Amino acid sequence: MVDTARVQIGRVRLKPGVPRAMGNASWSMPYGSSLSSPFAYSADSLTSAELGDWLPMVRGPDTEVNYYRDRRVGRSRDLERNDGWARGGITRVLDNAIGSLFRLIVQPDWRALQRVAPQCDEVWAEEFAEVAASEWRLWADDAARWADAARKLSLVQMFRLQLRHKLIDGDSLAALLWSPETVGEGAARLATTVQMIDPDRLSNPYEAPDTHNMRGGVEINDRGAPIAYHIRRAHQNDMFDADLSMIWDRVERETPWGRPVVVHDHDSDRIAQHRGIGVLTPVLDRMKMLSRYDGAEIAQALLQTSIGTFITSPYDPEQMRMAMESDGGRDELSFYQGLREAAPGVNINGVKIPSLVTGEQVTFAPARHPSVNFEAFEHAMLRGVAASIGCTAEDITNDYSKANYSSLRASMLGAWRTMLRRRSDFSIGTATPIWGAVLEELIDRKMVPMPRRAPSFMAMRAAYMRCRWIGPGRGWVDPVKERQGAVLGMDAGFDTLENVAGEMSGADWRDVLDQRKREVVAFTERGLK
């Protein structure tokens, strides 16, 4: 038995849509195929009703993303600005991933450091973590906003804005500036500052097309690694900075010793992709249609619920026409109109109720709802939108009337896994590089405890920078059941207080224990159990 059969075919009449190359003198038919279908997979068919006219092009990753980026981003922003469902979905993701408190938990890899410096033990690591985290909070939460180069936002607010750009535009972009002139008493505590940059400003100089080493403003080497970023000095549509918008600065990715200068974060769907796409991109057309459908439904509902009032006259329409055409009839019509004008009206609380001539009646049009299936259809559409954004349909609609405990918990756990992955990606791409730059300055200025003969920061950067980020807690569907399960997990050794406090409450377990200790002391001092 052979795997392929060699079939000799002369001049054959091709079906519509079959490439002319299929008419060559010979071709190989895979084993198991039939003469009526030369394709091994039905997805390869060019003649089926479903696939015959579906011929998408195979493009490179940067070609797919960069060529129509401005159009796609403009549509995503317009939808998020003007559509409540889109804005609500983005807001839910931001609230769950970053929220109002995005906490840094410093966890240096003391075991790796101990192999180089024996003094880097667990006791040192605990002290180092507490001091470094405290210095980080002093810098990030400074009321004077020195962490922000524009001095407008705290670091948590900057993180939330950066993630917002990443969700809608596909990219978040920032530069780490070194500003020693701002350090001093009553001024900045550290020289490191973060300059947020609109991703639109990242583009090829003079809007030139992509080349081998230039992809959407990202300069890459032959291995595809970014080495520099080309950033406009102003947005291309800032009319008051039109001259600056045509000047590009080449900013290297990092300093010669490895300190990050540009922090560019995006999700990648393909290998060798250097710009990102927003989460609304796959559902832009559906959400636009849903927005139009909402408007049409509201307009129709307003039209149908308007109270239509009709005055019915006893005069026959044909007789009225004849009366208007004849000279004698005009007197009769004038007499009738005179009666209508002379009919007195009654005012009730400022509302005029007209009196009708004898024989006339008032008829009201009934109000009808235009579509009884509108709510179900809208909910089905929003489920697809929620799946694309990475949250539940209940999160977008705030409607939990059709959910029970089991279904709500299952959907919440699925969305929570997506949220954790999104939070982790943002931490790796944006938050941790900024933390590394701050930690480098803290170590260089001897603001954290370091043992003798400890390795330099750049020599063991990954070990010093090791950390985790805690965002808002997951919350509960049934607090009693879930807290009982958490206690059982800790008692059985399957879970830790650190995980439970972080995931369920968004708290640091050290802060929880310290607060509990203060409460126990306060109870004891007051003679309470």
Side-chain angles (χ1 to χ4, degrees):
M1 180 180 296
V2 295
D3 289 342
T4 59
R6 199 72 176 175
V7 181
Q8 188 73 22
I9 298 180
R11 296 181 62 86
V12 297
R13 178 173 296 177
L14 301 178
K15 296 181 179 180
V18 178
R20 179 59 58 182
M22 294 294 296
N24 292 340
S26 63
W27 55 280
S28 296
M29 182 176 67
Y31 177 74
S33 300
S34 63
L35 287 175
S36 61
S37 177
F39 303 106
Y41 298 94
S42 59
D44 300 336
S45 175
L46 293 172
T47 58
S48 69
E50 295 78 12
L51 306 178
D53 57 352
W54 186 16
L55 302 171
M57 295 181 62
V58 177
R59 302 179 179 89
D62 285 330
T63 303
E64 287 183 343
V65 174
N66 298 343
Y67 196 75
Y68 296 109
R69 179 190 178 276
D70 290 351
R71 180 187 304 171
R72 181 174 61 250
V73 171
R75 289 172 174 173
S76 297
R77 289 177 186 165
D78 182 76
L79 187 69
E80 192 271 342
R81 282 194 302 263
N82 298 294
D83 185 87
W85 301 124
R87 190 174 186 87
I90 295 296
T91 301
R92 295 298 177 274
V93 174
L94 293 173
D95 290 344
N96 291 330
I98 303 296
S100 60
L101 183 62
F102 197 55
R103 187 187 297 268
L104 169 67
I105 305 298
V106 182
Q107 296 176 330
D109 192 348
W110 60 270
R111 293 181 178 86
L113 293 167
Q114 195 175 44
R115 292 198 296 268
V116 180
Q119 297 85 354
C120 295
D121 55 11
E122 189 174 4
V123 175
W124 164 82
E126 186 71 19
E127 182 183 3
F128 175 87
E130 291 183 1
V131 175
S134 176
E135 291 291 342
W136 167 267
R137 290 191 296 269
L138 290 174
W139 175 76
D141 302 333
D142 188 354
R145 307 290 188 258
W146 287 107
D148 183 5
R151 298 194 61 188
K152 297 191 300 181
L153 305 175
S154 68
L155 193 66
V156 173
Q157 292 174 319
M158 295 169 68
F159 281 161
R160 191 161 54 246
L161 185 56
Q162 290 290 90
L163 182 56
R164 187 182 193 88
H165 273 288
K166 184 178 178 182
L167 293 173
I168 299 174
D169 304 344
D171 304 77
S172 68
L173 187 66
L176 295 179
L177 307 182
W178 181 255
S179 306
E181 68 279 1
T182 63
V183 179
E185 186 176 354
R189 189 173 182 83
L190 300 176
T192 301
T193 59
V194 181
Q195 176 71 66
M196 295 186 294
I197 303 173
D198 193 304
D200 290 355
R201 292 169 56 189
L202 179 62
S203 60
N204 295 339
Y206 304 104
E207 300 182 355
D210 286 352
T211 63
H212 175 68
N213 295 109
M214 186 69 68
R215 308 295 177 85
V218 182
E219 184 179 340
I220 61 176
N221 59 19
D222 292 338
R223 295 184 177 182
I227 58 177
Y229 297 86
H230 294 258
I231 303 172
R232 293 175 182 258
R233 293 189 179 180
H235 194 278
Q236 57 265 38
N237 289 322
D238 283 344
M239 304 306 297
F240 42 81
D241 281 332
D243 54 342
L244 296 179
S245 68
M246 294 306 296
I247 301 176
W248 279 258
D249 292 320
R250 181 182 182 273
V251 184
E252 295 191 1
R253 174 183 180 178
E254 56 193 11
T255 62
W257 62 89
R259 176 185 173 88
V261 177
V262 176
V263 179
H264 180 219
D265 185 19
H266 65 87
D267 291 334
S268 295
D269 295 329
R270 296 180 60 186
I271 299 173
Q273 178 180 331
H274 297 91
R275 298 295 298 269
I277 60 173
V279 297
L280 296 177
T281 300
V283 292
L284 273 177
D285 52 347
R286 292 192 178 190
M287 294 203 70
K288 189 61 177 177
M289 287 188 288
L290 181 59
S291 178
R292 293 174 57 192
Y293 184 27
D294 281 343
E297 182 77 6
I298 293 173
Q300 185 68 10
L302 290 174
L303 179 63
Q304 292 291 343
T305 55
S306 299
I307 300 178
T309 305
F310 304 92
I311 297 179
T312 305
S313 172
Y315 278 72
D316 181 75
E318 185 63 21
Q319 293 180 354
M320 291 289 294
R321 183 185 64 80
M322 295 175 61
M324 294 178 64
E325 291 178 353
S326 63
D327 294 338
R330 293 178 182 177
D331 295 336
E332 297 178 5
L333 181 62
S334 299
F335 175 74
Y336 173 69
Q337 293 294 347
L339 288 177
R340 299 192 64 189
E341 294 177 359
V346 179
N347 287 326
I348 300 178
N349 292 331
V351 179
K352 184 176 181 180
I353 307 299
S355 297
L356 304 179
V357 177
T358 303
E360 289 186 338
Q361 295 179 353
V362 177
T363 304
F364 296 96
R368 299 185 180 90
H369 192 275
S371 176
V372 296
N373 297 320
F374 171 72
E375 183 179 356
F377 175 78
E378 185 178 55
H379 186 73
M381 292 285 286
L382 291 176
R383 287 175 60 189
V385 174
S388 175
I389 294 177
C391 58
T392 65
E394 290 79 11
D395 284 336
I396 295 181
T397 62
N398 283 332
D399 180 11
Y400 301 90
S401 60
K402 298 180 178 63
N404 53 40
Y405 174 80
S406 299
S407 64
L408 189 58
R409 178 166 173 79
S411 62
M412 187 182 73
L413 289 177
W416 180 256
R417 285 190 289 269
T418 300
M419 189 280 301
L420 287 179
R421 188 267 306 165
R422 201 183 298 282
R423 180 189 297 173
S424 176
D425 289 346
F426 179 78
S427 301
I428 294 171
T430 299
T432 301
I434 296 176
W435 154 242
V438 171
L439 182 59
E440 179 188 9
E441 182 177 356
L442 293 176
I443 293 177
D444 183 68
R445 296 177 58 187
K446 297 180 174 57
M447 299 175 67
V448 290
M450 296 292 291
R452 296 179 56 189
R453 299 181 181 179
S456 66
F457 173 78
M458 297 310 301
M460 298 290 288
R461 178 170 53 183
Y464 285 115
M465 287 175 53
R466 185 172 176 266
C467 64
R468 62 177 297 192
W469 297 86
I470 298 178
R474 183 182 61 199
W476 307 276
V477 178
D478 188 329
V480 175
K481 292 181 180 179
E482 299 192 30
R483 282 175 171 165
Q484 287 176 344
V487 172
L488 290 175
M490 288 190 293
D491 290 344
F494 299 145
D495 211 338
T496 64
L497 178 61
E498 180 181 14
N499 291 336
V500 172
E503 291 185 4
M504 300 187 72
S505 303
D508 185 354
W509 67 278
R510 297 179 182 87
D511 293 341
V512 173
L513 292 182
D514 291 341
Q515 180 62 29
R516 290 291 296 156
K517 179 181 178 180
R518 288 190 290 268
E519 292 174 359
V520 170
V521 171
F523 271 72
T524 304
E525 291 177 348
R526 291 164 174 79
L528 301 175
K529 294 183 180 180

